[in-house]
Amino acid sequence: AEAQVTRTTSTADDEWALPSRQHTRTFPGGIVVNIDTIAMTTYAPGGDDLRYVFGEASEIEAATNWVEAELKAAAANEKIDWIIVAGHYPVYSVAEHGDTPEILEAVMPLLEKYGVDAYLCGHDHSLQHISGASAVEYFVSGGGAKRGELNHDQVHRAFPPTRFAVIDPGFTTHVISDGWMTTKFINNQGVTLHEYTQAPRCKRGCGTTTTTSSSGGGEVLLVLITAVAAAVSVCLALALWRRLVRREGASKGGGGVKPAPGLYAKLRVAL
């Protein structure tokens, strides 16, 4: 990860974007908070052969404090309707690695507290949609390169409810438009396997006022493409986005550098 950060901060490569192990990206009306779940765990979830030390106690505390500070600031910002958190390890999972206990303990309460709308992750090689308490939606998109295994006992557990889970290769798209976010799970044949639409959670003055969107009628596309290497997927997605923008800009007389007027703002986020 440090080598990938260095490539962003110390080179002129404009198709690689990992400014730090934890960072934020804003879009009209919202923010994506990218967290370093490896720094927050002392072991990798899974069988005994996968358990080994990652984060030290001080590193775990610092990473968790950073996440809370970012979420608190976002929730207080009147220009933000949507808060999306993205990490590598899942909070909840019904596949081969299961729930991540330390992320469940440290991160999940912050998602609930600060009105986070969705948590995006990978790690398990599957496609999953799990609904948590307080309307936080958990989307696992790790089916980019390998088929995992589902734990069918966990799929049918009472809480949190699993809305969708398959091991088919695929990816997710998250489109925010007109005050709604629609998530689609799409397989490698381009077929939509599962679709879910949600409104933003209340973040300020909850229980006393009605939540309204300040992001207008624009559309933002968040594409989560999760393979085995999280940071590599980030950079591949960014490279594809930039080439798309240049190509569409050029085709509409925009000089091939910036999107032509009217082209939807497109933000591609990957793990």
Side-chain angles (χ1 to χ4, degrees):
E2 293 302 329
Q4 296 157 354
V5 170
T6 299
R7 180 172 176 179
T8 300
T9 58
S10 303
T11 72
D13 187 348
D14 67 348
E15 293 191 342
W16 189 272
L18 190 66
S20 60
R21 293 175 63 172
Q22 298 201 125
H23 58 278
T24 62
R25 292 185 181 277
T26 59
F27 59 90
I31 187 171
V32 178
V33 180
N34 293 279
I35 69 175
D36 186 356
T37 55
I38 292 178
M40 296 179 182
T41 55
T42 56
Y43 61 86
D48 291 339
D49 59 327
L50 293 178
R51 294 176 184 269
Y52 54 94
V53 174
F54 274 124
E56 300 292 339
S58 59
E59 185 179 15
I60 293 172
E61 182 179 8
T64 305
N65 289 344
W66 180 92
V67 172
E68 180 162 23
E70 291 295 331
L71 294 181
K72 183 177 181 179
N77 188 337
E78 295 184 355
K79 295 182 179 180
I80 290 180
D81 299 313
W82 296 93
I83 303 176
I84 312 297
V85 175
H88 182 69
Y89 289 153
V91 175
Y92 295 112
S93 173
V94 296
E96 63 266 26
H97 296 110
D99 301 344
T100 310
E102 289 175 309
I103 303 302
L104 187 61
E105 179 181 353
V107 176
M108 187 273 287
L110 301 180
L111 308 182
E112 304 285 350
K113 180 178 181 180
Y114 294 110
V116 170
D117 300 287
Y119 179 81
L120 317 180
C121 70
H123 191 55
D124 278 352
H125 299 285
S126 56
L127 304 174
Q128 304 177 46
H129 174 198
I130 297 172
S131 290
S134 302
V136 181
E137 302 298 332
Y138 296 87
F139 299 109
V140 179
S141 181
K146 180 182 178 182
R147 289 179 183 270
E149 297 180 1
L150 294 181
N151 182 328
H152 292 284
D153 290 336
Q154 293 297 306
V155 169
H156 298 292
R157 63 186 173 183
F159 183 85
T162 302
R163 294 179 178 269
F164 173 75
V166 298
I167 58 172
D168 295 2
F171 60 96
T172 60
T173 64
H174 309 272
V175 177
I176 296 174
S177 181
D178 295 326
W180 299 89
M181 182 170 84
T182 298
T183 296
K184 292 183 179 181
F185 288 79
I186 302 171
N187 70 10
N188 58 348
Q189 303 299 313
V191 177
T192 298
L193 304 176
H194 175 68
E195 182 174 331
Y196 183 79
T197 298
Q198 64 187 99
R201 291 179 60 203
C202 178
K203 296 168 177 60
R204 296 165 295 278
C206 301
T208 59
T209 59
T210 302
T211 301
T212 58
S213 173
S214 62
S215 55
E219 180 175 285
V220 178
L221 175 62
L222 306 176
V223 178
L224 172 66
I225 307 173
T226 307
V228 176
V232 172
S233 295
V234 173
C235 301
L236 287 175
L238 184 60
L240 289 172
W241 172 73
R242 284 182 169 149
R243 286 169 185 164
L244 174 68
V245 166
R246 289 166 181 162
R247 183 169 64 249
E248 293 188 3
S251 67
K252 295 185 179 183
V257 177
K258 298 180 179 180
L263 181 66
Y264 287 141
K266 297 184 179 181
L267 171 64
R268 301 201 167 203
V269 178
L271 297 179

